[in-house]
Amino acid sequence: QSLEAQQILVRVFPQGDRVLTYGRSYGAFIWNASTGDLIHSLPLHRDTPWRINFCAVSYRGDMVATLDRRGLAVWSTVTGRRTRFRSSNVFGGLLFFPQDDRLLVFGYAESVIWNLNSGRDTWLGRGSRHEDPLDRINTAAISADGRLLVTCSNSLATVWDAADGAAL
């Protein structure tokens, strides 16, 4: 079924029952994958001119994270309400850890793990930036046990210890 929305990006929930669209229309939308019915609309800040640039769906499917230039928000997919928010200078992409307890936020030369329970940050390679500060991290992956992660830029792939942010 075709979902009518002025969106440019999509994520499928791990359970296959819902779809998240986001981008051009200044919000994120959760749809029923079978019927095409809108379940929740996750708006941006009312006064922001920015669109949502990145989204991630938790492994259990009970949370969605959105990232725009004002910050990072975590939403309940049950209620459609924002449960956490923080400003963020890191801007590039985001991934939930398999345990749904942390988010990896990655971007230009730096990346951070945000612990959703404590609110604490673990910076990857803090103080040891890439040679080129504009060497944007394009993609990342997290191991199934959440202990390791890999970031890849235009010129470098790095494996990290997720507990302390140290390069291996």
Side-chain angles (χ1 to χ4, degrees):
Q1 175 157 359
S2 175
L3 304 176
E4 293 185 32
Q6 292 185 359
Q7 302 297 304
I8 57 173
L9 299 166
V10 64
R11 299 285 182 262
V12 176
F13 279 68
Q15 299 76 14
D17 59 340
R18 292 164 289 168
V19 174
L20 173 72
T21 60
Y22 64 99
R24 217 176 264 160
S25 63
Y26 301 93
F29 303 90
I30 299 173
W31 306 87
N32 181 304
S34 298
T35 66
D37 293 336
L38 179 64
I39 298 171
H40 292 296
S41 174
L42 312 176
L44 283 174
H45 306 284
R46 286 177 291 182
D47 60 342
T48 184
W50 308 109
R51 65 184 173 100
I52 292 175
N53 290 309
F54 301 98
C55 281
V57 176
S58 68
Y59 283 77
R60 288 188 305 262
D62 61 340
M63 294 181 286
V64 166
T66 60
L67 182 63
D68 64 45
R69 294 203 183 270
R70 299 270 315 261
L72 173 62
V74 177
W75 305 81
S76 165
T77 62
V78 175
T79 65
R81 295 182 186 265
R82 191 173 73 187
T83 60
R84 295 172 183 90
F85 177 81
R86 64 173 288 166
S87 59
S88 177
N89 294 327
V90 178
F91 189 74
L94 56 130
L95 293 170
F96 275 95
F97 274 71
Q99 298 79 11
D100 289 339
D101 60 341
R102 295 169 288 167
L103 273 169
L104 171 64
V105 186
F106 56 92
Y108 288 97
E110 288 189 319
S111 297
V112 63
I113 299 168
W114 181 29
N115 185 309
L116 297 175
N117 298 319
S118 70
R120 291 191 201 120
D121 292 337
T122 301
W123 290 89
L124 301 185
R126 191 63 178 215
S128 60
R129 300 175 72 120
H130 295 296
E131 292 289 322
D132 179 359
L134 297 179
D135 193 10
R136 181 179 187 274
I137 295 171
N138 297 311
T139 190
I142 301 170
S143 65
D145 63 7
R147 294 183 359 200
L148 298 176
L149 56 104
V150 178
T151 58
C152 295
S153 68
N154 295 330
S155 63
L156 184 66
T158 307
V159 179
W160 306 92
D161 182 325
D164 63 8
L168 300 178

PDB file of all heavy atoms in Angstrom, residues 22-52:
ATOM      1  N   TYR A  22      10.011  10.286   7.549  1.00  0.00           N
ATOM      2  CA  TYR A  22      10.435  11.579   8.073  1.00  0.00           C
ATOM      3  C   TYR A  22      11.164  12.361   7.000  1.00  0.00           C
ATOM      4  O   TYR A  22      11.565  11.809   5.982  1.00  0.00           O
ATOM      5  CB  TYR A  22      11.315  11.409   9.309  1.00  0.00           C
ATOM      6  CG  TYR A  22      12.628  10.704   9.049  1.00  0.00           C
ATOM      7  CD1 TYR A  22      13.803  11.416   8.892  1.00  0.00           C
ATOM      8  CD2 TYR A  22      12.697   9.320   8.976  1.00  0.00           C
ATOM      9  CE1 TYR A  22      15.006  10.776   8.673  1.00  0.00           C
ATOM     10  CE2 TYR A  22      13.894   8.666   8.761  1.00  0.00           C
ATOM     11  CZ  TYR A  22      15.047   9.399   8.613  1.00  0.00           C
ATOM     12  OH  TYR A  22      16.230   8.757   8.393  1.00  0.00           O
ATOM     13  N   GLY A  23      11.303  13.655   7.250  1.00  0.00           N
ATOM     14  CA  GLY A  23      12.085  14.478   6.346  1.00  0.00           C
ATOM     15  C   GLY A  23      11.416  15.771   5.982  1.00  0.00           C
ATOM     16  O   GLY A  23      11.302  16.680   6.784  1.00  0.00           O
ATOM     17  N   ARG A  24      10.937  15.861   4.771  1.00  0.00           N
ATOM     18  CA  ARG A  24      10.510  17.102   4.162  1.00  0.00           C
ATOM     19  C   ARG A  24       9.352  17.817   4.861  1.00  0.00           C
ATOM     20  O   ARG A  24       9.269  19.024   4.817  1.00  0.00           O
ATOM     21  CB  ARG A  24      10.099  16.804   2.721  1.00  0.00           C
ATOM     22  CG  ARG A  24      10.465  17.882   1.772  1.00  0.00           C
ATOM     23  CD  ARG A  24      10.110  17.486   0.367  1.00  0.00           C
ATOM     24  NE  ARG A  24      11.289  16.927  -0.265  1.00  0.00           N
ATOM     25  CZ  ARG A  24      11.271  16.159  -1.324  1.00  0.00           C
ATOM     26  NH1 ARG A  24      10.143  15.824  -1.880  1.00  0.00           N
ATOM     27  NH2 ARG A  24      12.380  15.703  -1.839  1.00  0.00           N
ATOM     28  N   SER A  25       8.471  17.108   5.495  1.00  0.00           N
ATOM     29  CA  SER A  25       7.280  17.746   6.054  1.00  0.00           C
ATOM     30  C   SER A  25       7.445  18.177   7.505  1.00  0.00           C
ATOM     31  O   SER A  25       6.470  18.417   8.195  1.00  0.00           O
ATOM     32  CB  SER A  25       6.067  16.828   5.915  1.00  0.00           C
ATOM     33  OG  SER A  25       6.292  15.658   6.657  1.00  0.00           O
ATOM     34  N   TYR A  26       8.685  18.303   7.966  1.00  0.00           N
ATOM     35  CA  TYR A  26       8.965  18.851   9.286  1.00  0.00           C
ATOM     36  C   TYR A  26       8.343  18.048  10.412  1.00  0.00           C
ATOM     37  O   TYR A  26       7.812  18.592  11.358  1.00  0.00           O
ATOM     38  CB  TYR A  26       8.537  20.318   9.363  1.00  0.00           C
ATOM     39  CG  TYR A  26       9.251  21.154   8.346  1.00  0.00           C
ATOM     40  CD1 TYR A  26       8.695  21.379   7.103  1.00  0.00           C
ATOM     41  CD2 TYR A  26      10.506  21.655   8.627  1.00  0.00           C
ATOM     42  CE1 TYR A  26       9.377  22.122   6.156  1.00  0.00           C
ATOM     43  CE2 TYR A  26      11.195  22.399   7.685  1.00  0.00           C
ATOM     44  CZ  TYR A  26      10.623  22.630   6.448  1.00  0.00           C
ATOM     45  OH  TYR A  26      11.300  23.349   5.512  1.00  0.00           O
ATOM     46  N   GLY A  27       8.400  16.768  10.322  1.00  0.00           N
ATOM     47  CA  GLY A  27       7.927  15.889  11.374  1.00  0.00           C
ATOM     48  C   GLY A  27       8.256  14.459  11.013  1.00  0.00           C
ATOM     49  O   GLY A  27       8.794  14.172   9.957  1.00  0.00           O
ATOM     50  N   ALA A  28       7.929  13.565  11.926  1.00  0.00           N
ATOM     51  CA  ALA A  28       8.081  12.138  11.678  1.00  0.00           C
ATOM     52  C   ALA A  28       6.714  11.503  11.884  1.00  0.00           C
ATOM     53  O   ALA A  28       5.919  11.967  12.703  1.00  0.00           O
ATOM     54  CB  ALA A  28       9.114  11.531  12.619  1.00  0.00           C
ATOM     55  N   PHE A  29       6.451  10.444  11.139  1.00  0.00           N
ATOM     56  CA  PHE A  29       5.134   9.835  11.161  1.00  0.00           C
ATOM     57  C   PHE A  29       5.262   8.325  11.266  1.00  0.00           C
ATOM     58  O   PHE A  29       6.049   7.715  10.549  1.00  0.00           O
ATOM     59  CB  PHE A  29       4.355  10.210   9.902  1.00  0.00           C
ATOM     60  CG  PHE A  29       4.219  11.696   9.737  1.00  0.00           C
ATOM     61  CD1 PHE A  29       5.169  12.423   9.046  1.00  0.00           C
ATOM     62  CD2 PHE A  29       3.157  12.374  10.313  1.00  0.00           C
ATOM     63  CE1 PHE A  29       5.066  13.800   8.911  1.00  0.00           C
ATOM     64  CE2 PHE A  29       3.042  13.745  10.195  1.00  0.00           C
ATOM     65  CZ  PHE A  29       3.999  14.453   9.492  1.00  0.00           C
ATOM     66  N   ILE A  30       4.486   7.732  12.169  1.00  0.00           N
ATOM     67  CA  ILE A  30       4.461   6.280  12.326  1.00  0.00           C
ATOM     68  C   ILE A  30       3.173   5.779  11.693  1.00  0.00           C
ATOM     69  O   ILE A  30       2.079   6.246  12.019  1.00  0.00           O
ATOM     70  CB  ILE A  30       4.524   5.879  13.812  1.00  0.00           C
ATOM     71  CG1 ILE A  30       5.829   6.393  14.431  1.00  0.00           C
ATOM     72  CG2 ILE A  30       4.423   4.356  13.950  1.00  0.00           C
ATOM     73  CD1 ILE A  30       5.914   6.202  15.931  1.00  0.00           C
ATOM     74  N   TRP A  31       3.316   4.825  10.769  1.00  0.00           N
ATOM     75  CA  TRP A  31       2.197   4.296   9.991  1.00  0.00           C
ATOM     76  C   TRP A  31       2.020   2.808  10.264  1.00  0.00           C
ATOM     77  O   TRP A  31       2.997   2.100  10.510  1.00  0.00           O
ATOM     78  CB  TRP A  31       2.472   4.456   8.495  1.00  0.00           C
ATOM     79  CG  TRP A  31       2.818   5.844   8.058  1.00  0.00           C
ATOM     80  CD1 TRP A  31       4.062   6.409   8.041  1.00  0.00           C
ATOM     81  CD2 TRP A  31       1.927   6.832   7.571  1.00  0.00           C
ATOM     82  NE1 TRP A  31       3.991   7.680   7.565  1.00  0.00           N
ATOM     83  CE2 TRP A  31       2.693   7.970   7.266  1.00  0.00           C
ATOM     84  CE3 TRP A  31       0.547   6.858   7.349  1.00  0.00           C
ATOM     85  CZ2 TRP A  31       2.132   9.137   6.758  1.00  0.00           C
ATOM     86  CZ3 TRP A  31      -0.012   8.023   6.835  1.00  0.00           C
ATOM     87  CH2 TRP A  31       0.765   9.137   6.548  1.00  0.00           C
ATOM     88  N   ASN A  32       0.804   2.332  10.174  1.00  0.00           N
ATOM     89  CA  ASN A  32       0.520   0.904  10.200  1.00  0.00           C
ATOM     90  C   ASN A  32       0.964   0.356   8.849  1.00  0.00           C
ATOM     91  O   ASN A  32       0.489   0.810   7.806  1.00  0.00           O
ATOM     92  CB  ASN A  32      -0.971   0.664  10.436  1.00  0.00           C
ATOM     93  CG  ASN A  32      -1.306  -0.799  10.500  1.00  0.00           C
ATOM     94  OD1 ASN A  32      -1.026  -1.568   9.583  1.00  0.00           O
ATOM     95  ND2 ASN A  32      -1.934  -1.196  11.590  1.00  0.00           N
ATOM     96  N   ALA A  33       1.864  -0.622   8.848  1.00  0.00           N
ATOM     97  CA  ALA A  33       2.417  -1.138   7.588  1.00  0.00           C
ATOM     98  C   ALA A  33       1.377  -1.898   6.766  1.00  0.00           C
ATOM     99  O   ALA A  33       1.479  -1.949   5.543  1.00  0.00           O
ATOM    100  CB  ALA A  33       3.621  -2.037   7.869  1.00  0.00           C
ATOM    101  N   SER A  34       0.388  -2.486   7.412  1.00  0.00           N
ATOM    102  CA  SER A  34      -0.616  -3.277   6.693  1.00  0.00           C
ATOM    103  C   SER A  34      -1.728  -2.424   6.105  1.00  0.00           C
ATOM    104  O   SER A  34      -2.147  -2.633   4.972  1.00  0.00           O
ATOM    105  CB  SER A  34      -1.243  -4.321   7.623  1.00  0.00           C
ATOM    106  OG  SER A  34      -0.269  -5.215   8.064  1.00  0.00           O
ATOM    107  N   THR A  35      -2.199  -1.441   6.886  1.00  0.00           N
ATOM    108  CA  THR A  35      -3.367  -0.653   6.457  1.00  0.00           C
ATOM    109  C   THR A  35      -3.003   0.698   5.877  1.00  0.00           C
ATOM    110  O   THR A  35      -3.809   1.310   5.180  1.00  0.00           O
ATOM    111  CB  THR A  35      -4.318  -0.413   7.647  1.00  0.00           C
ATOM    112  OG1 THR A  35      -3.652   0.423   8.609  1.00  0.00           O
ATOM    113  CG2 THR A  35      -4.743  -1.730   8.276  1.00  0.00           C
ATOM    114  N   GLY A  36      -1.794   1.209   6.203  1.00  0.00           N
ATOM    115  CA  GLY A  36      -1.413   2.545   5.764  1.00  0.00           C
ATOM    116  C   GLY A  36      -1.983   3.642   6.652  1.00  0.00           C
ATOM    117  O   GLY A  36      -1.795   4.823   6.374  1.00  0.00           O
ATOM    118  N   ASP A  37      -2.660   3.270   7.738  1.00  0.00           N
ATOM    119  CA  ASP A  37      -3.236   4.264   8.650  1.00  0.00           C
ATOM    120  C   ASP A  37      -2.141   4.939   9.462  1.00  0.00           C
ATOM    121  O   ASP A  37      -1.187   4.293   9.913  1.00  0.00           O
ATOM    122  CB  ASP A  37      -4.235   3.611   9.608  1.00  0.00           C
ATOM    123  CG  ASP A  37      -5.482   3.095   8.898  1.00  0.00           C
ATOM    124  OD1 ASP A  37      -5.799   3.605   7.808  1.00  0.00           O
ATOM    125  OD2 ASP A  37      -6.120   2.178   9.442  1.00  0.00           O
ATOM    126  N   LEU A  38      -2.299   6.245   9.683  1.00  0.00           N
ATOM    127  CA  LEU A  38      -1.379   6.998  10.524  1.00  0.00           C
ATOM    128  C   LEU A  38      -1.634   6.628  11.983  1.00  0.00           C
ATOM    129  O   LEU A  38      -2.769   6.702  12.465  1.00  0.00           O
ATOM    130  CB  LEU A  38      -1.579   8.504  10.321  1.00  0.00           C
ATOM    131  CG  LEU A  38      -0.692   9.423  11.158  1.00  0.00           C
ATOM    132  CD1 LEU A  38       0.774   9.237  10.789  1.00  0.00           C
ATOM    133  CD2 LEU A  38      -1.118  10.868  10.966  1.00  0.00           C
ATOM    134  N   ILE A  39      -0.574   6.238  12.695  1.00  0.00           N
ATOM    135  CA  ILE A  39      -0.682   5.892  14.111  1.00  0.00           C
ATOM    136  C   ILE A  39      -0.313   7.092  14.981  1.00  0.00           C
ATOM    137  O   ILE A  39      -1.038   7.451  15.892  1.00  0.00           O
ATOM    138  CB  ILE A  39       0.216   4.685  14.454  1.00  0.00           C
ATOM    139  CG1 ILE A  39      -0.224   3.454  13.656  1.00  0.00           C
ATOM    140  CG2 ILE A  39       0.193   4.400  15.949  1.00  0.00           C
ATOM    141  CD1 ILE A  39       0.735   2.280  13.759  1.00  0.00           C
ATOM    142  N   HIS A  40       0.849   7.705  14.689  1.00  0.00           N
ATOM    143  CA  HIS A  40       1.305   8.863  15.451  1.00  0.00           C
ATOM    144  C   HIS A  40       2.016   9.849  14.541  1.00  0.00           C
ATOM    145  O   HIS A  40       2.710   9.450  13.608  1.00  0.00           O
ATOM    146  CB  HIS A  40       2.294   8.470  16.559  1.00  0.00           C
ATOM    147  CG  HIS A  40       1.712   7.673  17.666  1.00  0.00           C
ATOM    148  ND1 HIS A  40       0.736   8.151  18.505  1.00  0.00           N
ATOM    149  CD2 HIS A  40       1.978   6.419  18.090  1.00  0.00           C
ATOM    150  CE1 HIS A  40       0.418   7.234  19.392  1.00  0.00           C
ATOM    151  NE2 HIS A  40       1.156   6.165  19.155  1.00  0.00           N
ATOM    152  N   SER A  41       1.881  11.125  14.859  1.00  0.00           N
ATOM    153  CA  SER A  41       2.657  12.195  14.248  1.00  0.00           C
ATOM    154  C   SER A  41       3.582  12.738  15.322  1.00  0.00           C
ATOM    155  O   SER A  41       3.128  13.101  16.404  1.00  0.00           O
ATOM    156  CB  SER A  41       1.710  13.299  13.752  1.00  0.00           C
ATOM    157  OG  SER A  41       2.452  14.386  13.285  1.00  0.00           O
ATOM    158  N   LEU A  42       4.881  12.765  15.040  1.00  0.00           N
ATOM    159  CA  LEU A  42       5.877  13.230  16.002  1.00  0.00           C
ATOM    160  C   LEU A  42       6.410  14.571  15.514  1.00  0.00           C
ATOM    161  O   LEU A  42       7.323  14.630  14.701  1.00  0.00           O
ATOM    162  CB  LEU A  42       7.014  12.218  16.130  1.00  0.00           C
ATOM    163  CG  LEU A  42       6.605  10.751  16.317  1.00  0.00           C
ATOM    164  CD1 LEU A  42       7.837   9.856  16.326  1.00  0.00           C
ATOM    165  CD2 LEU A  42       5.778  10.570  17.573  1.00  0.00           C
ATOM    166  N   PRO A  43       5.841  15.670  15.992  1.00  0.00           N
ATOM    167  CA  PRO A  43       6.209  16.983  15.461  1.00  0.00           C
ATOM    168  C   PRO A  43       7.558  17.465  15.962  1.00  0.00           C
ATOM    169  O   PRO A  43       8.041  17.039  17.012  1.00  0.00           O
ATOM    170  CB  PRO A  43       5.089  17.885  15.975  1.00  0.00           C
ATOM    171  CG  PRO A  43       4.680  17.237  17.263  1.00  0.00           C
ATOM    172  CD  PRO A  43       4.831  15.751  17.033  1.00  0.00           C
ATOM    173  N   LEU A  44       8.136  18.394  15.231  1.00  0.00           N
ATOM    174  CA  LEU A  44       9.330  19.094  15.683  1.00  0.00           C
ATOM    175  C   LEU A  44       8.918  20.177  16.668  1.00  0.00           C
ATOM    176  O   LEU A  44       7.729  20.391  16.910  1.00  0.00           O
ATOM    177  CB  LEU A  44      10.022  19.767  14.496  1.00  0.00           C
ATOM    178  CG  LEU A  44      10.835  18.892  13.577  1.00  0.00           C
ATOM    179  CD1 LEU A  44      11.307  19.687  12.388  1.00  0.00           C
ATOM    180  CD2 LEU A  44      12.029  18.328  14.311  1.00  0.00           C
ATOM    181  N   HIS A  45       9.885  20.898  17.160  1.00  0.00           N
ATOM    182  CA  HIS A  45       9.584  22.083  17.957  1.00  0.00           C
ATOM    183  C   HIS A  45       8.750  23.028  17.095  1.00  0.00           C
ATOM    184  O   HIS A  45       8.991  23.181  15.903  1.00  0.00           O
ATOM    185  CB  HIS A  45      10.877  22.809  18.354  1.00  0.00           C
ATOM    186  CG  HIS A  45      11.845  21.927  19.044  1.00  0.00           C
ATOM    187  ND1 HIS A  45      11.692  21.551  20.350  1.00  0.00           N
ATOM    188  CD2 HIS A  45      12.971  21.335  18.606  1.00  0.00           C
ATOM    189  CE1 HIS A  45      12.688  20.782  20.688  1.00  0.00           C
ATOM    190  NE2 HIS A  45      13.488  20.625  19.657  1.00  0.00           N
ATOM    191  N   ARG A  46       7.795  23.672  17.690  1.00  0.00           N
ATOM    192  CA  ARG A  46       6.905  24.552  16.920  1.00  0.00           C
ATOM    193  C   ARG A  46       7.646  25.694  16.244  1.00  0.00           C
ATOM    194  O   ARG A  46       7.267  26.154  15.190  1.00  0.00           O
ATOM    195  CB  ARG A  46       5.812  25.114  17.823  1.00  0.00           C
ATOM    196  CG  ARG A  46       4.758  24.084  18.157  1.00  0.00           C
ATOM    197  CD  ARG A  46       3.791  24.679  19.091  1.00  0.00           C
ATOM    198  NE  ARG A  46       4.509  24.874  20.352  1.00  0.00           N
ATOM    199  CZ  ARG A  46       3.993  25.349  21.443  1.00  0.00           C
ATOM    200  NH1 ARG A  46       2.747  25.723  21.461  1.00  0.00           N
ATOM    201  NH2 ARG A  46       4.700  25.477  22.535  1.00  0.00           N
ATOM    202  N   ASP A  47       8.721  26.185  16.868  1.00  0.00           N
ATOM    203  CA  ASP A  47       9.401  27.368  16.343  1.00  0.00           C
ATOM    204  C   ASP A  47      10.644  27.054  15.519  1.00  0.00           C
ATOM    205  O   ASP A  47      11.400  27.941  15.185  1.00  0.00           O
ATOM    206  CB  ASP A  47       9.765  28.311  17.480  1.00  0.00           C
ATOM    207  CG  ASP A  47      10.703  27.661  18.495  1.00  0.00           C
ATOM    208  OD1 ASP A  47      10.801  26.422  18.506  1.00  0.00           O
ATOM    209  OD2 ASP A  47      11.311  28.400  19.277  1.00  0.00           O
ATOM    210  N   THR A  48      10.872  25.808  15.200  1.00  0.00           N
ATOM    211  CA  THR A  48      12.091  25.475  14.466  1.00  0.00           C
ATOM    212  C   THR A  48      11.874  25.495  12.953  1.00  0.00           C
ATOM    213  O   THR A  48      10.842  25.049  12.469  1.00  0.00           O
ATOM    214  CB  THR A  48      12.657  24.100  14.892  1.00  0.00           C
ATOM    215  OG1 THR A  48      13.888  23.903  14.193  1.00  0.00           O
ATOM    216  CG2 THR A  48      11.736  22.963  14.521  1.00  0.00           C
ATOM    217  N   PRO A  49      12.821  26.026  12.210  1.00  0.00           N
ATOM    218  CA  PRO A  49      12.731  25.976  10.752  1.00  0.00           C
ATOM    219  C   PRO A  49      13.337  24.710  10.171  1.00  0.00           C
ATOM    220  O   PRO A  49      13.340  24.524   8.972  1.00  0.00           O
ATOM    221  CB  PRO A  49      13.550  27.201  10.325  1.00  0.00           C
ATOM    222  CG  PRO A  49      14.597  27.307  11.386  1.00  0.00           C
ATOM    223  CD  PRO A  49      13.916  26.864  12.669  1.00  0.00           C
ATOM    224  N   TRP A  50      13.863  23.825  11.020  1.00  0.00           N
ATOM    225  CA  TRP A  50      14.583  22.661  10.537  1.00  0.00           C
ATOM    226  C   TRP A  50      13.666  21.463  10.366  1.00  0.00           C
ATOM    227  O   TRP A  50      12.695  21.297  11.060  1.00  0.00           O
ATOM    228  CB  TRP A  50      15.706  22.284  11.507  1.00  0.00           C
ATOM    229  CG  TRP A  50      16.594  23.413  11.830  1.00  0.00           C
ATOM    230  CD1 TRP A  50      16.678  24.076  13.014  1.00  0.00           C
ATOM    231  CD2 TRP A  50      17.512  24.057  10.955  1.00  0.00           C
ATOM    232  NE1 TRP A  50      17.599  25.071  12.937  1.00  0.00           N
ATOM    233  CE2 TRP A  50      18.126  25.095  11.684  1.00  0.00           C
ATOM    234  CE3 TRP A  50      17.878  23.862   9.627  1.00  0.00           C
ATOM    235  CZ2 TRP A  50      19.091  25.923  11.127  1.00  0.00           C
ATOM    236  CZ3 TRP A  50      18.835  24.696   9.080  1.00  0.00           C
ATOM    237  CH2 TRP A  50      19.424  25.695   9.822  1.00  0.00           C
ATOM    238  N   ARG A  51      14.052  20.598   9.471  1.00  0.00           N
ATOM    239  CA  ARG A  51      13.355  19.332   9.303  1.00  0.00           C
ATOM    240  C   ARG A  51      14.107  18.259  10.078  1.00  0.00           C
ATOM    241  O   ARG A  51      15.260  18.440  10.463  1.00  0.00           O
ATOM    242  CB  ARG A  51      13.286  18.952   7.832  1.00  0.00           C
ATOM    243  CG  ARG A  51      14.630  18.688   7.209  1.00  0.00           C
ATOM    244  CD  ARG A  51      14.482  18.421   5.720  1.00  0.00           C
ATOM    245  NE  ARG A  51      15.778  18.320   5.093  1.00  0.00           N
ATOM    246  CZ  ARG A  51      16.377  17.190   4.779  1.00  0.00           C
ATOM    247  NH1 ARG A  51      15.797  16.049   5.026  1.00  0.00           N
ATOM    248  NH2 ARG A  51      17.552  17.179   4.207  1.00  0.00           N
ATOM    249  N   ILE A  52      13.450  17.145  10.317  1.00  0.00           N
ATOM    250  CA  ILE A  52      14.125  16.015  10.942  1.00  0.00           C
ATOM    251  C   ILE A  52      15.065  15.408   9.907  1.00  0.00           C
ATOM    252  O   ILE A  52      14.665  15.079   8.804  1.00  0.00           O
ATOM    253  CB  ILE A  52      13.107  14.977  11.443  1.00  0.00           C
ATOM    254  CG1 ILE A  52      12.309  15.569  12.605  1.00  0.00           C
ATOM    255  CG2 ILE A  52      13.807  13.695  11.865  1.00  0.00           C
ATOM    256  CD1 ILE A  52      11.204  14.683  13.103  1.00  0.00           C
TER     257      ILE A  52
END
